[in-house]
Amino acid sequence: MNGKSEAKTDAPVLQQDVDLTGLNTMRVSATAQQFVDVKNKQHLVELFKSGFFERHTPIILGGGSNLLLVGDPQSPVLKISIGGVKIDDIGNGHVLMKAGAGENWHGLVVQAVEKGYGGIENLALIPGTAGAAPIQNIGAYGVELQDCFEELTAFDTSTGTFETFKRADCQFAYRDSMFKNNQRGVYIICDLTLRLRSKNHRLVTGYKALSDYLDRENIHQPTIRDICNAVVAIRRSKLPDPADIGNAGSFFKNPVISAKRYRKLKHEVPELPSYKLDSGDYKLPAAWLIDQAGWKGKQVGNVGSYENQALVLVNHGGATGREIYAHAMRIRDSVQERFGVDLNPEVNIIGEL
Ligand SMILES: Cc1cc2nc3c(=O)[nH]c(=O)nc-3n(C[C@H](O)[C@H](O)[C@H](O)COP(=O)(O)OP(=O)(O)OC[C@H]3O[C@@H](n4cnc5c(N)ncnc54)[C@H](O)[C@@H]3O)c2cc1C
């Protein structure tokens, strides 16, 4: 992988002792003993040929905005930087936007909006890469990735081949897909194709914070650009910028409970907010539960819950991954004690606890 001849063919370069502090938005300090910056699909093929995937189960890194490193990774880290964006007009008012996995997600949203292509404007300003977007079926303001997902190409680390996955293959669900569960670690996503509309946009403005914002700004017939701008403004007003304070967005998923369990809890806690799902189950806002348990704005050592959004754990400086994890578990335990509801991390925990 390292020799002179390989360098000529742009072979993947195995780096030693790479500092990951700037490569995770929690700003946790950690060192990768082995690290490869994967810049193209051929790099994955070369790694496979060298037996790399037989020897290792690597940690896959995108923008590092949805993971918590607890300790130094014991496996090599593959940072996926595959770039490139291609847009095809397929007629009937639709375009396909294909992006390399390493492309910045928000950059794609901006490009789409500027070209008048609608579908992802509600997903503006979500940090991270295109390749990670399908992993947890990113979602915000009433839209999920799966709503405009066409297909993705992934490298199968067990066979060394590339496979195409359509929407029905991916088992998308709320902040979930098969790549986060049973197929975790098997596939490396190399590119993502979105189906966007070039006309007859389907605007999603029902989300309360978004409709309130548009009303306040007297925008009654919003364009996709208006929605993108509104989402950016709302997010900036309530979420901490990882450039200012380390965080990984929402730490926990919103818990889903059965109708029977919900009725009992609602009786005990009449003010409990909820959202009824088509399945008949109820989704509860984790931020509200955490707030009620007294954690909003609270700091313990170097870790805290963000003052404007209880669901976001922040690194006030120098926190270790284990400290952040311990804080998250304190929050989980107190919500369980108070409401009998289990919180599960949305953030991927990387390393041995
Ligand atoms: C301030 C803030 C706000 C956020 N808001 C939202 C939000 O509104 N909605 C939302 O859904 N998320 C949100 N997130 C979470 C995060 O931005 C998304 O989950 C994003 O898709 C993560 O992208 P990433 O490239 O940083 O992934 P990483 O954190 O690098 O990786 C996340 C997971 O995906 C795996 N992975 C990454 N790239 C690949 C690949 N190419 N192939 C296979 N596996 C891969 C990693 O191994 C890891 O398990 C927010 C995060 C922050 C910090």
Side-chain angles (χ1 to χ4, degrees), residues 66-70 184 251 325 345 347-351 353:
N66 199 25
L67 47 82
L68 177 65
L69 297 165
V70 286
R184 190 187 187 126
F251 197 90
Y325 187 77
V347 166
N348 298 277
I349 312 297
I350 310 281
L353 285 163

Side-chain angles (χ1 to χ4, degrees), residues 52-320:
F52 177 88
F53 294 108
E54 273 167 33
R55 294 192 301 278
H56 308 288
T57 303
I59 290 163
I60 310 303
L61 183 65
S65 67
N66 199 25
L67 47 82
L68 177 65
L69 297 165
V70 286
D72 293 330
Q74 296 305 301
S75 308
V77 171
L78 298 188
K79 162 114 177 72
I80 309 301
S81 309
I82 302 169
V85 179
K86 190 167 161 271
I87 296 173
D88 274 340
D89 190 333
I90 53 166
N92 280 334
H94 283 94
V95 297
L96 295 181
M97 185 181 210
K98 181 174 181 175
E103 289 289 333
N104 175 269
W105 173 261
H106 179 64
L108 292 179
V109 176
V110 171
Q111 261 194 68
V113 168
E114 276 174 1
K115 291 184 158 71
Y117 303 147
I120 49 175
E121 55 282 357
N122 294 53
L123 304 179
L125 217 59
I126 296 181
T129 56
I135 302 285
Q136 71 156 8
N137 180 27
I138 56 167
Y141 300 95
V143 171
E144 288 183 327
L145 179 83
Q146 65 170 328
D147 301 335
C148 59
F149 177 89
E150 176 70 12
E151 63 180 33
L152 62 78
T153 311
F155 181 75
D156 183 340
T157 57
S158 62
T159 60
T161 55
F162 293 95
E163 276 185 49
T164 301
F165 292 88
K166 296 284 187 186
R167 178 163 48 179
D169 305 323
C170 298
Q171 297 167 25
F172 287 127
Y174 163 64
R175 299 293 187 275
D176 211 9
S177 76
M178 70 169 188
F179 302 105
K180 200 170 176 177
N181 293 301
N182 51 337
Q183 298 303 325
R184 190 187 187 126
V186 178
Y187 293 104
I188 298 176
I189 296 174
C190 299
D191 57 55
L192 165 69
T193 304
L194 305 167
R195 176 184 284 255
L196 304 176
R197 286 175 180 269
S198 55
K199 55 187 180 193
N200 300 330
H201 296 303
R202 302 236 166 118
L203 305 181
V204 180
T205 55
Y207 200 92
K208 192 170 180 320
L210 182 53
S211 57
D212 286 354
Y213 181 93
L214 294 170
D215 281 348
R216 264 200 319 277
E217 297 293 315
N218 281 320
I219 302 172
H220 303 300
Q221 289 190 316
T223 61
I224 54 170
R225 186 182 292 269
D226 291 328
I227 292 178
C228 178
N229 290 343
V231 168
V232 167
I234 299 166
R235 293 183 73 98
R236 286 213 169 113
S237 70
K238 66 174 200 189
L239 287 174
D241 183 345
D244 301 328
I245 183 162
N247 77 92
S250 302
F251 197 90
F252 297 101
K253 293 189 201 184
N254 290 320
V256 174
I257 59 174
S258 69
K260 187 174 169 204
R261 175 87 193 84
Y262 170 76
R263 280 194 294 277
K264 187 167 179 289
L265 192 57
K266 184 75 178 170
H267 183 70
E268 292 162 13
V269 189
E271 67 279 24
L272 179 74
S274 63
Y275 176 75
K276 191 172 182 196
L277 301 175
D278 292 343
S279 62
D281 292 338
Y282 284 79
K283 190 187 273 184
L284 308 179
W288 188 87
L289 300 170
I290 296 169
D291 190 1
Q292 293 298 304
W295 290 102
K296 191 170 174 179
K298 203 165 178 175
Q299 183 171 347
V300 179
N302 298 320
V303 193
S305 303
Y306 189 54
E307 54 193 356
N308 296 334
Q309 170 49 283
L311 194 47
V312 177
L313 300 195
V314 290
N315 178 357
H316 286 287
T320 64

Side-chain angles (χ1 to χ4, degrees), residues 68 320-331 333 353:
L68 177 65
T320 64
R322 285 201 178 88
E323 258 183 275
I324 295 171
Y325 187 77
H327 187 75
M329 292 306 103
R330 279 192 289 272
I331 292 175
D333 291 349
L353 285 163

